Each structure stands twice: as C-alpha cells, then as structure tokens.
Amino acid sequence: MLPTFEHADLSHTPFQRHTGTASEDIITRDAFNTATAEITAWEGYKPTPLHQLTSLAAELGIDDILYKDEGPRFGLGSFKALGGAYAAERVLQRELSKKLDIPVSLADIRNGRYVSEAKEITLVSATDGNHGRSLAWGAQRFGATCNIYIHKGVSEGRAEAMRQLGANVIRIDGDYDASVHLARKEADQNGWFVVSDTSWEGYVDPPLDVMAGYGVMTNELTNQIHTLPTHIFLQGGVGGLAASVCSALRQHWGQDAPRVIIVEPNLAACLFESARNDTITTVAINDETMMAGLSCGEPSPIGWKVLREEASDFIQISDDLVAPSMRLLANPLGHDPSIEGGESAVAGLAAAISIALNPKLRDLMGLDKNSKVLLIGSEGATDKALYEKIMANE
Ligand SMILES: Cc1ncc(COP(=O)(O)O)c(C=O)c1O
C-alpha cells in the first residue's frame, strides 16, 4: 500500500539524553505566556486545526496519528507566522522604550501608537522563505522597515510573497548560512536590527522571542489533544521549532511528555551530526534539499541546549520521500481528511511512516499498536507553483 516508504533509505542515531532543566530555563513559562497573550490578541488570530489520520494509523498498525496543520496560520502559510512577527514586535518594544525613554508596551506597538517612530527602525533577516515572510508581515503590521536576505535556492515565488508584504528582498549567490552572515554584517554596518530565528554567541533575544511565539501552537495543541501522544516527530532546520515544542510539551506534561524524534533532510543534517558527536556540529550544505525550510547547516545553540536534553532519536530522510508524502496527505487513505502540506511540513510524516514500516526501527523506537503519533504540519503550500507540480507528479 505504501511501497515508497517500505524501502526508505533512513539513517537513525539513538541519543542518550542529558539531564537538566533546559526545558524550563531557556524559554521560560513566563516567556511562553507573554507571547501567547500577545499573539492571540492580534487581529485575525484563529487556532489552526488538529487532524486525525485514523486510516493511515490503521494501515501502519499504530493507534493514532494527529497532524497539526499550520497551513492556515494567519494566512501566511506556516507556523513561522508566530515567530518572526512576534520577535519584530518585541524588538520595536525594546528599542522604542530605550529611544523614547518611557516604558512602551506590546499593546502600544500592536495599536500603532508609535508608528512614525517605528518606521525609522529597520529590521533585517536571512531566510529560506517562511521566517522572512513572517518578519515582513510583522514589520508591515507594526510599521517598521524590513530588509530580507535570501540564498540562491529560495524560489522566486517565496521571494515575491515577501515583496508583496513590503520587504526589500536581497538575493545572494551563496547558501542559507552565507545569507545569515551577510544580514548580520550589513545590520552591524548600518545600525539595523537583526531579527533571526537562529542564535549565536552574544545574540539570543530575538531567537528566544521567535521560539516563545511558536508556543501559541503548542498551547493550542495541548488544548486540542484529549489523550497523550506517545511519540512526536519534529522536523529540524536550526532546531528552533523542535526546541520550542519540546520545551512547551515538557512544561505541560512533565514526565508524560512524548518521546521526541528529530527529522532532518540528509542534505542538511546538522542536528543529527550534533547528536552523533554529542556536541553542536556544523555541516556543509553541498546541495539544496527540496525541504527548503530545513536547509540549515548550523544548529541554533539555544535550540541545541534544549534538544540535547529532550530528543531521544535523530533521523535523516532523503528528498525522494517528500513528494509521495505530500501526495498521500492530499489524497489520503480511507476517510482521512485531505490536507495541503508543503515540502518541509511532511518530513515528520515521511519519517513516521517509514519507521512504522521498518521492523527494526519500529521496534527500536517503541512504535506498536498502542502508539499515538503527533506531527506538526509546519507549512501549507507556501510555494503554490511547486506544490501544483508535485501534485501533478511532474
Ligand atoms: C515549514 C518549516 N518547517 C520547519 C522548519 C524548521 O524550523 P527550525 O529552523 O526552527 O528548526 C522551518 C524553518 O524555516 C520551516 O519553514
């Protein structure tokens, strides 16, 4: 029934989790609560759906599969809408409080109280598409100027979506990590503010805000779920999404939180290599994966601090699983709902199916008839033209 997945070429590294309190200390409960209170007050806020893929679960001999569909998030197509825009709002709050020498609240920024002052502030970031779109949208919403740096692998459709939101889009010849370095350099030279979804030495506030913003999604999830999941498959780029979700789940469910499996493309497996070396590790991106959102060679250090305590398994998948997974979501088994999932959204699904069908890995990862698998469908069809091509099997 699912032959592509039965013979999938997967790499797995089990990981001995470190003990510690990173899930409480890095993104604190307060940070999650502040972000949730603010983002749920934005105009247009609506929780995204949690779908149940009962027929697929039955086919795989497991109890349940839940898929949180982030495609409809704020009309921007991905969970990233929660992070970049919120971090932009927080930079404006901090900078305007300093500049005006008065306490400026998030509600002030949200209500456009200092919109003429905000226009003087330039926010910049590198992106593979989704984070930049969120930042551009936030900058437009809150009145700031926005410059976005993209690498050669980012599709023109994704670049255009950011221009439509008022951002200046600068395309470079190198890869994602080169675009991150250029954004930093130009920000330093011009007095602009980097709003990145990844951290580095001495730079943590915006990426922490980004990860706190993602907590809106996990907060919705814990309200939508009635029985505890046993496994969560989380796709990794720099590790911000995964770190945010596992911190929030640990804070909410404590020892009952699900087993965390990190999934990356084999062309950009920096978290996998970090686990294998038991220390944060950078990998070279030699070819771009079609999972554009996951094409990152450097883990976010604050994300890794959480994952080294929370993740039990690391998986690499190859690009050839992506299109079949997207088509399976769109044309599902039995009475499962039809879902529009983008290339990066389906990495977790692709790994879960392949592992469930692989007797050795299934056993190793404790998947059985009682398992309830949770997946984050992190994006919808963020590049429509590419999506249509994949659906048409071209
Ligand atoms: C759709 C999608 N899923 C997952 C990720 C991975 O998130 P992170 O880079 O925080 O690990 C990204 C990152 O851009 C993304 O766009």
Side-chain angles (χ1 to χ4, degrees):
M1 195 80 178
L2 299 164
T4 317
F5 301 93
E6 267 169 46
H7 308 290
D9 176 22
L10 299 178
S11 306
H12 169 241
T13 195
F15 187 64
Q16 187 56 51
R17 292 195 282 130
H18 293 253
T19 48
T21 53
S23 65
E24 294 282 346
D25 301 343
I26 308 250
I27 319 163
T28 62
R29 285 170 193 250
D30 263 3
F32 275 130
N33 290 340
T34 306
T36 298
E38 176 55 24
I39 294 169
T40 54
W42 290 352
E43 199 191 319
Y45 168 73
K46 205 168 151 225
T48 56
L50 180 69
H51 297 295
Q52 204 169 7
L53 307 180
T54 314
S55 302
L56 179 58
E59 180 71 26
L60 298 175
I62 60 179
D63 187 45
D64 207 357
I65 299 178
L66 296 172
Y67 183 96
K68 176 80 166 155
D69 178 12
E70 286 295 301
R73 182 67 74 185
F74 280 117
L76 289 193
S78 85
F79 78 103
K80 291 249 153 187
L82 300 165
Y86 176 65
E89 190 182 10
R90 292 270 290 159
V91 169
L92 293 176
Q93 180 193 24
R94 282 192 291 269
E95 288 314 310
L96 290 175
S97 298
K98 244 191 266 168
K99 207 164 158 180
L100 304 173
D101 202 20
I102 49 167
V104 172
S105 68
L106 288 171
D108 289 334
I109 306 290
R110 181 180 357 117
N111 296 326
R113 187 159 174 195
Y114 299 109
V115 75
S116 54
E117 290 87 346
K119 201 168 181 326
E120 303 303 313
I121 295 180
T122 299
L123 306 175
V124 308
S125 185
T127 188
D128 41 55
N130 289 330
H131 171 69
R133 201 158 165 188
S134 176
L135 179 59
W137 179 69
Q140 188 178 57
R141 199 166 245 235
F142 306 122
T145 302
C146 182
N147 295 348
I148 299 289
Y149 295 78
I150 57 173
H151 61 85
K152 59 177 190 296
V154 176
S155 75
E156 198 37 41
R158 292 196 167 107
E160 187 51 30
M162 293 184 277
R163 285 188 205 106
Q164 292 293 328
L165 291 165
N168 309 307
V169 177
I170 300 115
R171 188 185 284 280
I172 67 153
D173 204 25
D175 64 9
Y176 173 74
D177 299 308
S179 65
V180 170
H181 293 297
L182 185 66
R184 282 171 65 177
K185 193 173 119 206
E186 300 221 329
D188 277 351
Q189 286 169 352
N190 295 291
W192 300 335
F193 295 89
V194 176
V195 184
S196 172
D197 55 356
T198 193
S199 61
W200 51 83
E201 177 97 39
Y203 177 82
V204 292
D205 287 343
L208 277 175
D209 290 331
V210 165
M211 293 196 291
Y214 300 160
V216 167
M217 174 177 66
T218 328
N219 188 50
E220 290 169 10
L221 257 179
T222 52
N223 290 325
Q224 288 166 323
I225 287 179
H226 306 297
T227 39
L228 286 174
T230 55
H231 297 72
I232 182 165
F233 288 78
L234 286 166
Q235 44 273 37
V238 300
L241 163 69
S244 173
V245 171
C246 29
S247 298
L249 293 185
R250 179 72 67 202
Q251 289 178 15
H252 190 78
W253 281 319
Q255 287 313 306
D256 295 330
R259 175 169 178 159
V260 174
I261 300 117
I262 304 296
V263 183
E264 292 173 288
N266 54 11
L267 296 173
C270 60
L271 300 168
F272 183 102
E273 291 304 332
S274 300
R276 195 147 61 177
N277 298 332
D278 198 12
T279 185
I280 193 162
T281 302
T282 295
V283 300
I285 306 287
N286 295 322
D287 286 305
E288 289 294 336
T289 163
M290 69 189 290
M291 293 169 262
L294 312 184
S295 184
C296 309
E298 283 183 46
S300 174
I302 52 177
W304 177 248
K305 274 191 188 155
V306 174
L307 295 181
R308 68 192 281 282
E309 294 181 15
E310 295 295 331
S312 299
D313 304 271
F314 290 78
I315 297 283
Q316 290 184 31
I317 62 167
S318 56
D319 275 27
D320 57 5
L321 295 181
V322 174
S325 304
M326 291 167 68
R327 290 194 284 264
L328 177 64
L329 263 188
N331 309 297
L333 304 184
H335 295 294
D336 288 352
S338 168
I339 304 168
E340 204 178 69
E343 305 85 78
S344 297
V346 297
L349 175 71
I353 298 174
S354 307
I355 290 165
L357 294 174
N358 176 317
K360 189 168 153 237
L361 285 178
R362 180 182 173 99
D363 194 41
L364 249 170
M365 297 178 58
L367 276 181
D368 61 27
K369 63 182 185 349
N370 298 317
S371 299
K372 295 176 198 305
V373 166
L374 177 57
L375 303 169
I376 305 287
S378 47
E379 68 177 350
T382 46
D383 185 331
K384 289 277 180 207
L386 187 54
Y387 185 82
E388 295 309 330
K389 254 177 109 166
I390 291 171
M391 285 305 123
N393 205 355
E394 280 169 9

Coordinates of all heavy atoms in Angstrom, one line a residue, residues 295-367:
S295 N 16.8 23.5 5.2 CA 18.1 23.5 4.6 C 19.1 24.4 5.5 O 19.4 25.5 5.1 CB 18.0 24.0 3.2 OG 19.3 24.0 2.6
C296 N 19.5 23.9 6.6 CA 20.3 24.7 7.5 C 21.5 23.8 7.9 O 21.3 22.7 8.3 CB 19.5 25.1 8.8 SG 18.0 25.9 8.5
G297 N 22.7 24.4 7.9 CA 23.9 23.6 8.3 C 24.4 23.9 9.7 O 25.3 23.2 10.2
E298 N 23.8 25.0 10.3 CA 24.3 25.3 11.7 C 23.1 25.3 12.7 O 22.2 26.1 12.5 CB 24.8 26.8 11.7 CG 26.2 26.9 11.1 CD 26.7 28.4 11.2 OE1 26.5 29.0 12.3 OE2 27.2 28.9 10.2
P299 N 23.2 24.4 13.7 CA 22.1 24.5 14.7 C 22.1 25.8 15.4 O 23.1 26.4 15.6 CB 22.5 23.3 15.6 CG 23.5 22.5 14.9 CD 24.2 23.4 14.0
S300 N 20.9 26.1 15.9 CA 20.8 27.3 16.8 C 21.3 26.8 18.2 O 20.8 25.9 18.8 CB 19.4 27.7 16.9 OG 19.2 28.7 17.9
P301 N 22.4 27.5 18.8 CA 22.9 27.0 20.1 C 21.8 26.9 21.2 O 21.8 25.9 21.9 CB 24.0 28.0 20.4 CG 24.4 28.5 19.1 CD 23.2 28.5 18.2
I302 N 20.9 27.9 21.3 CA 19.9 27.8 22.3 C 18.9 26.6 22.1 O 18.4 26.0 23.0 CB 19.2 29.1 22.6 CG1 18.6 29.7 21.3 CG2 20.1 30.1 23.3 CD1 17.8 31.0 21.6
G303 N 18.7 26.4 20.8 CA 17.8 25.2 20.4 C 18.5 23.9 20.8 O 17.9 23.0 21.4
W304 N 19.8 23.8 20.5 CA 20.5 22.6 20.8 C 20.6 22.3 22.3 O 20.5 21.1 22.7 CB 21.9 22.6 20.2 CG 22.7 21.4 20.6 CD1 23.8 21.3 21.4 CD2 22.4 20.1 20.2 NE1 24.2 20.0 21.5 CE2 23.4 19.2 20.8 CE3 21.4 19.5 19.4 CZ2 23.4 17.8 20.6 CZ3 21.4 18.1 19.2 CH2 22.4 17.3 19.8
K305 N 20.7 23.4 23.1 CA 20.7 23.2 24.6 C 19.4 22.4 25.0 O 19.5 21.7 26.0 CB 20.8 24.5 25.3 CG 22.2 25.0 25.4 CD 22.2 26.2 26.3 CE 23.6 26.8 26.3 NZ 23.7 28.2 26.6
V306 N 18.3 22.7 24.4 CA 17.1 22.1 24.8 C 17.1 20.6 24.2 O 16.8 19.7 24.9 CB 15.8 22.8 24.3 CG1 14.5 22.0 24.5 CG2 15.7 24.2 24.9
L307 N 17.4 20.5 22.9 CA 17.3 19.2 22.3 C 18.2 18.2 22.9 O 17.9 17.0 22.9 CB 17.6 19.4 20.8 CG 16.5 20.2 20.0 CD1 16.8 20.3 18.5 CD2 15.1 19.7 20.2
R308 N 19.4 18.6 23.4 CA 20.3 17.6 24.0 C 19.7 17.0 25.2 O 20.1 15.9 25.7 CB 21.7 18.2 24.2 CG 21.7 19.2 25.2 CD 23.1 20.0 25.2 NE 24.1 19.3 25.9 CZ 24.3 19.2 27.2 NH1 23.5 19.7 28.0 NH2 25.3 18.5 27.7
E309 N 18.7 17.6 25.8 CA 18.0 17.1 27.0 C 16.7 16.4 26.6 O 16.1 15.7 27.5 CB 17.8 18.2 28.0 CG 19.1 18.7 28.6 CD 18.9 19.8 29.6 OE1 17.8 20.0 30.1 OE2 19.9 20.5 29.9
E310 N 16.1 16.8 25.5 CA 14.8 16.4 25.2 C 14.6 15.3 24.1 O 13.6 14.6 24.0 CB 13.9 17.6 24.9 CG 13.7 18.5 26.1 CD 12.9 17.9 27.2 OE1 12.1 17.0 27.0 OE2 13.2 18.3 28.4
A311 N 15.5 15.3 23.2 CA 15.4 14.4 22.0 C 16.0 13.1 22.2 O 17.1 13.0 22.6 CB 15.9 15.1 20.7
S312 N 15.2 12.0 21.9 CA 15.7 10.6 22.1 C 16.3 10.0 20.8 O 17.0 9.0 20.8 CB 14.6 9.7 22.6 OG 14.1 10.2 23.8
D313 N 15.8 10.5 19.6 CA 16.3 9.9 18.4 C 16.4 11.0 17.3 O 15.7 12.0 17.3 CB 15.2 9.0 17.8 CG 14.8 7.9 18.8 OD1 15.5 6.8 18.8 OD2 13.9 8.1 19.7
F314 N 17.4 10.8 16.4 CA 17.6 11.7 15.3 C 17.6 10.8 14.0 O 18.2 9.8 14.0 CB 18.9 12.4 15.4 CG 18.9 13.4 16.6 CD1 19.1 13.0 17.9 CD2 18.8 14.7 16.3 CE1 19.0 13.9 19.0 CE2 18.7 15.7 17.4 CZ 18.9 15.2 18.7
I315 N 16.8 11.4 13.0 CA 16.6 10.6 11.8 C 17.0 11.5 10.6 O 16.7 12.7 10.6 CB 15.1 10.3 11.7 CG1 14.6 9.3 12.8 CG2 14.7 9.7 10.3 CD1 15.1 7.9 12.6
Q316 N 17.6 10.9 9.6 CA 17.8 11.6 8.3 C 16.9 10.9 7.3 O 16.9 9.7 7.2 CB 19.2 11.4 7.8 CG 20.3 12.1 8.6 CD 21.6 12.0 7.9 OE1 21.7 11.9 6.7 NE2 22.7 11.9 8.7
I317 N 16.2 11.8 6.5 CA 15.5 11.2 5.4 C 16.0 11.8 4.0 O 16.6 12.9 4.0 CB 13.9 11.5 5.5 CG1 13.6 13.0 5.5 CG2 13.4 10.8 6.7 CD1 12.2 13.3 5.3
S318 N 15.7 11.1 3.0 CA 16.1 11.6 1.7 C 14.9 12.3 1.0 O 13.8 12.1 1.3 CB 16.7 10.5 0.8 OG 15.7 9.5 0.7
D319 N 15.3 13.2 0.0 CA 14.3 14.0 -0.6 C 13.2 13.2 -1.4 O 12.1 13.7 -1.6 CB 14.9 15.0 -1.7 CG 15.4 16.2 -1.0 OD1 15.7 16.2 0.2 OD2 15.5 17.3 -1.6
D320 N 13.6 11.9 -1.7 CA 12.6 11.2 -2.6 C 11.3 10.8 -1.8 O 10.4 10.3 -2.4 CB 13.2 10.0 -3.3 CG 13.9 9.0 -2.3 OD1 13.7 9.3 -1.1 OD2 14.5 8.1 -2.7
L321 N 11.3 11.0 -0.5 CA 10.1 10.7 0.3 C 9.1 11.9 0.3 O 8.0 11.7 0.8 CB 10.5 10.4 1.8 CG 11.3 9.1 2.0 CD1 11.5 8.9 3.5 CD2 10.5 7.9 1.4
V322 N 9.6 13.1 -0.1 CA 8.8 14.3 0.1 C 7.6 14.3 -0.7 O 6.4 14.5 -0.2 CB 9.7 15.5 -0.1 CG1 8.9 16.8 -0.1 CG2 10.8 15.6 0.9
A323 N 7.7 14.2 -2.0 CA 6.6 14.3 -2.9 C 5.5 13.2 -2.6 O 4.3 13.5 -2.5 CB 7.0 14.2 -4.4
P324 N 6.0 11.9 -2.4 CA 4.9 10.9 -2.1 C 4.2 11.2 -0.8 O 3.0 11.0 -0.7 CB 5.8 9.6 -1.9 CG 7.0 9.8 -2.7 CD 7.3 11.3 -2.7
S325 N 4.9 11.8 0.2 CA 4.2 12.2 1.4 C 3.2 13.3 1.2 O 2.1 13.3 1.8 CB 5.2 12.6 2.5 OG 6.2 11.7 2.7
M326 N 3.6 14.3 0.4 CA 2.6 15.4 0.1 C 1.4 14.9 -0.6 O 0.3 15.3 -0.4 CB 3.4 16.5 -0.7 CG 4.4 17.2 0.0 SD 5.5 18.2 -1.0 CE 4.4 19.5 -1.6
R327 N 1.7 13.9 -1.6 CA 0.5 13.4 -2.3 C -0.4 12.5 -1.5 O -1.6 12.5 -1.6 CB 1.0 12.6 -3.6 CG 1.6 13.6 -4.6 CD 1.8 12.9 -6.0 NE 2.9 12.0 -6.0 CZ 4.2 12.4 -6.4 NH1 4.4 13.6 -6.9 NH2 5.1 11.5 -6.4
L328 N 0.2 11.8 -0.5 CA -0.5 11.0 0.4 C -1.4 11.8 1.3 O -2.6 11.5 1.6 CB 0.4 10.1 1.2 CG -0.3 9.2 2.3 CD1 -1.2 8.2 1.6 CD2 0.8 8.5 3.2
L329 N -0.9 13.0 1.7 CA -1.7 13.9 2.6 C -2.9 14.4 1.8 O -4.0 14.6 2.3 CB -0.8 15.1 3.0 CG -0.2 15.1 4.4 CD1 0.5 16.5 4.6 CD2 -1.1 14.8 5.5
A330 N -2.6 14.8 0.5 CA -3.6 15.4 -0.3 C -4.7 14.4 -0.7 O -5.9 14.7 -0.9 CB -3.0 16.1 -1.5
N331 N -4.2 13.1 -1.0 CA -5.2 12.1 -1.4 C -5.1 10.9 -0.4 O -4.4 9.9 -0.7 CB -4.7 11.5 -2.8 CG -4.5 12.6 -3.8 OD1 -5.5 13.4 -4.1 ND2 -3.3 12.8 -4.2
P332 N -5.7 11.1 0.7 CA -5.4 10.2 1.9 C -6.1 8.9 1.7 O -7.0 8.7 0.9 CB -6.0 11.0 3.0 CG -7.1 11.8 2.4 CD -6.7 12.2 1.0
L333 N -5.8 8.0 2.7 CA -6.4 6.7 2.8 C -7.8 6.8 3.4 O -8.0 7.7 4.3 CB -5.6 5.7 3.6 CG -4.1 5.5 3.2 CD1 -3.5 4.5 4.2 CD2 -4.0 5.0 1.8
G334 N -8.7 5.9 3.1 CA -10.0 5.8 3.8 C -10.7 7.2 3.9 O -10.8 8.0 3.0
H335 N -11.1 7.4 5.2 CA -11.8 8.7 5.4 C -11.0 9.8 6.0 O -11.5 10.8 6.6 CB -13.0 8.4 6.4 CG -14.1 7.5 5.7 ND1 -14.8 7.9 4.6 CD2 -14.4 6.2 6.0 CE1 -15.6 6.9 4.2 NE2 -15.4 5.9 5.1
D336 N -9.7 9.6 6.0 CA -8.8 10.7 6.5 C -9.0 12.0 5.7 O -9.3 11.9 4.5 CB -7.3 10.3 6.4 CG -7.0 9.2 7.3 OD1 -7.8 8.8 8.2 OD2 -5.8 8.6 7.2
P337 N -8.9 13.1 6.4 CA -9.1 14.4 5.7 C -8.0 14.6 4.7 O -6.8 14.2 4.8 CB -9.0 15.4 6.8 CG -8.2 14.8 7.9 CD -8.5 13.3 7.8
S338 N -8.3 15.4 3.6 CA -7.3 15.8 2.6 C -6.6 17.0 3.1 O -7.3 18.0 3.4 CB -8.0 16.0 1.3 OG -7.1 16.6 0.4
I339 N -5.3 17.0 3.2 CA -4.5 18.2 3.7 C -3.5 18.7 2.7 O -2.8 17.8 2.1 CB -3.8 17.8 5.0 CG1 -4.9 17.2 6.0 CG2 -3.1 19.0 5.7 CD1 -4.2 16.5 7.3
E340 N -3.4 20.0 2.6 CA -2.4 20.6 1.8 C -1.1 20.8 2.7 O -1.1 21.7 3.5 CB -2.9 21.9 1.3 CG -2.3 22.4 0.0 CD -2.9 23.8 -0.4 OE1 -2.7 24.8 0.3 OE2 -3.7 23.8 -1.4
G341 N -0.1 20.0 2.4 CA 1.1 20.2 3.2 C 2.3 20.5 2.3 O 2.5 19.9 1.3
G342 N 3.2 21.4 2.7 CA 4.3 21.8 1.9 C 5.5 20.9 2.1 O 5.4 19.9 3.0
E343 N 6.6 21.1 1.4 CA 7.7 20.2 1.4 C 8.3 20.0 2.8 O 8.7 18.9 3.1 CB 8.8 20.7 0.4 CG 8.4 20.9 -1.0 CD 7.8 22.3 -1.2 OE1 8.5 23.3 -1.2 OE2 6.5 22.4 -1.2
S344 N 8.5 21.1 3.5 CA 9.1 20.9 4.8 C 8.1 20.4 5.9 O 8.5 19.8 6.9 CB 9.6 22.3 5.3 OG 10.6 22.8 4.4
A345 N 6.8 20.5 5.6 CA 5.8 20.1 6.6 C 5.8 18.6 6.7 O 5.4 18.1 7.8 CB 4.4 20.6 6.1
V346 N 6.1 17.9 5.6 CA 5.9 16.4 5.6 C 7.1 15.6 6.1 O 7.0 14.4 6.1 CB 5.4 16.0 4.2 CG1 4.1 16.6 3.8 CG2 6.5 16.2 3.2
A347 N 8.2 16.2 6.5 CA 9.3 15.5 6.9 C 9.0 14.5 8.1 O 9.4 13.3 8.0 CB 10.5 16.4 7.3
G348 N 8.3 15.0 9.0 CA 7.9 14.2 10.2 C 7.0 13.0 9.8 O 7.2 11.9 10.2
L349 N 6.1 13.3 8.9 CA 5.2 12.3 8.4 C 5.9 11.2 7.7 O 5.7 10.0 7.9 CB 4.1 12.9 7.5 CG 3.1 12.0 6.8 CD1 2.2 11.4 7.8 CD2 2.4 12.7 5.7
A350 N 6.8 11.7 6.8 CA 7.6 10.7 6.0 C 8.4 9.8 6.9 O 8.5 8.6 6.6 CB 8.5 11.5 5.0
A351 N 9.0 10.4 7.9 CA 9.8 9.5 8.8 C 9.0 8.6 9.6 O 9.3 7.4 9.8 CB 10.6 10.4 9.7
A352 N 7.8 9.1 10.1 CA 6.9 8.2 10.9 C 6.4 7.0 10.1 O 6.5 5.9 10.6 CB 5.8 9.1 11.4
I353 N 6.0 7.3 8.9 CA 5.5 6.2 8.0 C 6.7 5.2 7.8 O 6.5 4.0 8.0 CB 5.0 6.7 6.7 CG1 3.8 7.6 6.9 CG2 4.5 5.5 5.8 CD1 3.2 8.3 5.6
S354 N 7.8 5.7 7.4 CA 8.9 4.8 7.0 C 9.4 4.0 8.2 O 9.7 2.8 8.1 CB 10.1 5.6 6.5 OG 9.7 6.5 5.5
I355 N 9.4 4.6 9.4 CA 9.8 3.8 10.6 C 8.8 2.8 11.0 O 9.1 1.7 11.3 CB 10.1 4.8 11.7 CG1 11.4 5.6 11.4 CG2 10.3 4.1 13.1 CD1 11.6 6.8 12.2
A356 N 7.5 3.2 10.9 CA 6.5 2.2 11.2 C 6.5 1.0 10.3 O 6.1 -0.1 10.7 CB 5.1 2.9 11.1
L357 N 7.0 1.2 9.1 CA 7.0 0.1 8.1 C 8.4 -0.7 8.2 O 8.6 -1.6 7.4 CB 6.8 0.6 6.7 CG 5.4 1.2 6.5 CD1 5.2 1.8 5.1 CD2 4.3 0.1 6.7
N358 N 9.3 -0.2 9.0 CA 10.6 -0.8 9.1 C 10.7 -1.6 10.4 O 10.8 -1.0 11.4 CB 11.7 0.3 9.0 CG 13.1 -0.2 9.1 OD1 13.4 -1.0 10.0 ND2 14.0 0.3 8.3
P359 N 10.7 -2.9 10.3 CA 10.5 -3.7 11.6 C 11.6 -3.4 12.6 O 11.3 -3.3 13.8 CB 10.6 -5.2 11.1 CG 10.3 -5.1 9.6 CD 10.7 -3.8 9.1
K360 N 12.8 -3.2 12.2 CA 13.9 -3.0 13.1 C 13.8 -1.6 13.8 O 13.8 -1.5 15.0 CB 15.3 -3.1 12.3 CG 16.4 -3.1 13.3 CD 17.7 -3.5 12.5 CE 18.9 -2.8 13.2 NZ 19.7 -2.0 12.4
L361 N 13.6 -0.6 13.0 CA 13.4 0.8 13.6 C 12.1 0.9 14.4 O 12.1 1.6 15.4 CB 13.5 1.8 12.5 CG 14.8 2.1 11.9 CD1 14.7 3.2 10.8 CD2 15.8 2.6 13.0
R362 N 11.1 0.3 13.9 CA 9.8 0.3 14.6 C 10.0 -0.2 16.0 O 9.6 0.4 17.0 CB 8.8 -0.6 13.8 CG 7.4 -0.7 14.4 CD 6.6 -1.6 13.6 NE 5.3 -1.8 14.2 CZ 4.2 -1.2 13.9 NH1 4.1 -0.4 12.9 NH2 3.1 -1.5 14.6
D363 N 10.7 -1.3 16.1 CA 11.0 -1.9 17.4 C 11.9 -1.0 18.3 O 11.6 -0.8 19.4 CB 11.6 -3.3 17.1 CG 11.6 -4.1 18.4 OD1 10.6 -4.1 19.0 OD2 12.6 -4.8 18.7
L364 N 12.9 -0.6 17.6 CA 13.9 0.3 18.4 C 13.2 1.5 19.0 O 13.6 2.0 20.0 CB 15.0 0.8 17.4 CG 16.4 0.2 17.5 CD1 17.2 0.6 16.3 CD2 17.0 0.8 18.8
M365 N 12.3 2.1 18.2 CA 11.7 3.3 18.6 C 10.3 3.1 19.4 O 9.6 4.1 19.7 CB 11.5 4.2 17.4 CG 13.0 4.5 17.0 SD 13.1 5.5 15.6 CE 12.3 6.9 16.1
G366 N 10.0 1.9 19.7 CA 8.9 1.6 20.5 C 7.6 1.9 19.9 O 6.6 2.3 20.6
L367 N 7.5 1.8 18.5 CA 6.2 2.0 17.9 C 5.4 0.7 17.9 O 5.9 -0.3 17.4 CB 6.4 2.5 16.4 CG 6.7 4.0 16.2 CD1 6.8 4.2 14.7 CD2 5.6 4.9 16.7

